[in-house]
Amino acid sequence: MWPLYAAGFTTAFGAHGVAASLGGQSSEAVTSLLVLGGLLALYDGAEVLLKPLFGTLADRIGARPVLLGGLIAFAAASALYAVADSSGWLWAARLGQGAAASAFSPSASALVARLSPAARHGRAFGGYGFWKSLGYTSGPLLGGVLVWAGGLRLLFAVMAVLAVAVAAWAATAVPAVPPLPKTRQTVLDLGRRLAERAFWQPTAALAAATAALSVGVGFLPVSGAAAGLGPVATGATVSVLAACAAVVQPAAGRAFDAGRITTRSGLGLGLAVAAAGLACALLPGLAGLLVPAVLIGAGTGLITPLGFAALAASTPRERLGQTMGTAELGRELGDAGGPLLVAGVATAATLAHGYAALALLLAVAPVVILSNRLRRWADQRGSAA
């Protein structure tokens, strides 16, 4: 599992390490906010388009070759800008990094499911999520240190070395997992499978959790600045959020494997906690930063391993790559949709209304689950009477 966890760390570090450093670069690299936005969108845009395709390819030829090929391509794309320092090559390198991450990220998820027994899927995905969250957390900090020490080219060079090291580690430690025989699948068959509750419910929960996380990272510092708090306090808030998400994931996975929590109850509880965190962002002062950070981090940390474990349990093993790639697409849409929703509502009203809108959206599923349980309980009491 460890090389797979390292692959998850690599894609997260690559996404946030560069994204957090681009805005501070010289005018030769980033000449305007429009250019900055384009460079930031390249990585995620490539993932949205390509993850389902590479997930399907992993099912066809095996997840391990796609994992290794993606890591090598990530190293090559990173080395491209480290060697050729120009704005044009920066665009090419960033696009190449996103395309390569689209290959090895769903392949790593599929291998986590294939190489761990079903009874330990919660622990396996909890560990994978922990290291991925660690990459998101440390990426801006380590990236900033590297850029300060040697510029953006040094950061890209370090990412190239990291990807090569992980690829070599995976090549020696991850066993070959041959593709499983499968029946022919039409587009209509794929549509039916993706429309099943066993797929779309965990995927929707993962998208909602990612939306809450993205809003917390992006907008809580805005609330802190409006409350008169300095950059140290707002930066610490984002670190607290990411740390809570990282710490909760292994614990949630162990509880799931032990049967102490079910998929339905765990996802509902995670959504409720994240919604409560967004609602607490309406509190004044420092409490309106720290309480939401803790709750949003804990809620997303609870949802992530349970959602992927549920997907792995309900998916035919020969289709794991396709399922993981499509689920990752759902997370990317949540990553973009959450901030867009909050920003749109905030533009029309206030940022507090934006938090409230997303909180209400996340609270729909827990309310439905609770109402159904209360209805069943009332029916049972009525039958007993």
Side-chain angles (χ1 to χ4, degrees):
M1 289 295 136
W2 286 105
L4 304 179
Y5 295 168
F9 175 88
T10 301
T11 182
F13 179 79
H16 280 203
V18 176
S21 303
L22 282 174
Q25 295 312 299
S26 64
S27 59
E28 295 180 0
V30 180
T31 57
S32 67
L33 290 177
L34 182 61
V35 172
L36 175 61
L39 286 169
L40 293 175
L42 272 180
Y43 194 100
D44 292 331
E47 288 189 309
V48 167
L49 293 175
L50 297 177
K51 274 186 175 179
L53 299 178
F54 280 118
T56 302
L57 180 64
D59 291 332
R60 182 171 299 173
I61 68 173
R64 185 173 179 269
V66 179
L67 172 77
L68 298 178
L71 286 167
I72 293 171
F74 189 91
S78 301
L80 184 66
Y81 180 71
V83 174
D85 181 15
S86 70
S87 58
W89 287 116
L90 177 60
W91 285 82
R94 198 61 179 155
L95 179 61
Q97 284 181 331
S102 303
F104 71 79
S105 181
S107 300
S109 300
L111 284 167
V112 167
R114 285 286 303 272
L115 296 176
S116 59
R120 294 182 61 87
H121 274 170
R123 287 180 175 85
F125 281 107
Y128 182 74
F130 171 83
W131 284 98
K132 204 165 185 179
S133 295
L134 193 61
Y136 287 131
T137 305
S138 62
L141 176 61
L142 295 178
V145 171
L146 290 171
V147 170
W148 171 79
L152 193 61
R153 293 175 67 187
L154 177 61
L155 174 58
F156 274 77
V158 170
M159 286 193 294
V161 173
L162 173 63
V164 168
V166 174
W169 190 9
T172 57
V174 176
V177 181
L180 297 172
K182 59 180 73 68
T183 58
R184 183 176 178 83
Q185 177 182 253
T186 65
V187 174
L188 186 59
D189 294 331
L190 174 62
R192 288 197 191 99
R193 189 162 65 83
L194 300 185
E196 293 177 354
R197 181 178 298 180
F199 173 82
W200 69 259
Q201 280 189 343
T203 302
L206 289 167
T210 307
L213 185 67
S214 182
V215 166
V217 170
F219 288 93
L220 285 179
V222 177
S223 297
L229 299 174
V232 174
T234 56
T237 298
V238 175
S239 297
V240 167
L241 192 155
C244 288
V247 170
V248 168
Q249 289 192 57
R254 290 192 297 269
F256 177 78
D257 290 340
R260 295 193 299 271
I261 189 171
T262 65
T263 300
R264 187 177 179 84
S265 62
L267 295 180
L269 178 60
L271 289 170
V273 171
L278 289 166
C280 288
L282 307 181
L283 296 173
L286 189 60
L289 291 182
L290 290 180
V291 176
V294 171
L295 293 179
I296 292 173
T300 56
L302 182 59
I303 291 169
T304 302
L306 270 59
F308 279 114
L311 289 170
S314 64
T315 301
R317 294 178 70 82
E318 68 273 13
R319 303 286 183 188
L320 277 171
Q322 185 181 70
T323 295
M324 295 303 174
T326 309
E328 290 280 0
L329 169 61
R331 295 185 75 192
E332 296 294 337
L333 293 176
D335 193 18
L340 286 176
L341 171 65
V342 172
V345 175
T347 301
T350 65
L351 183 54
H353 288 86
Y355 289 137
L358 185 57
L360 288 174
L361 188 61
L362 264 63
V364 170
V367 169
V368 171
I369 293 173
L370 180 60
S371 63
N372 289 337
R373 288 188 174 182
L374 291 175
R375 188 182 302 113
R376 287 196 298 269
W377 178 78
D379 292 342
Q380 292 173 357
R381 290 291 299 271
S383 300

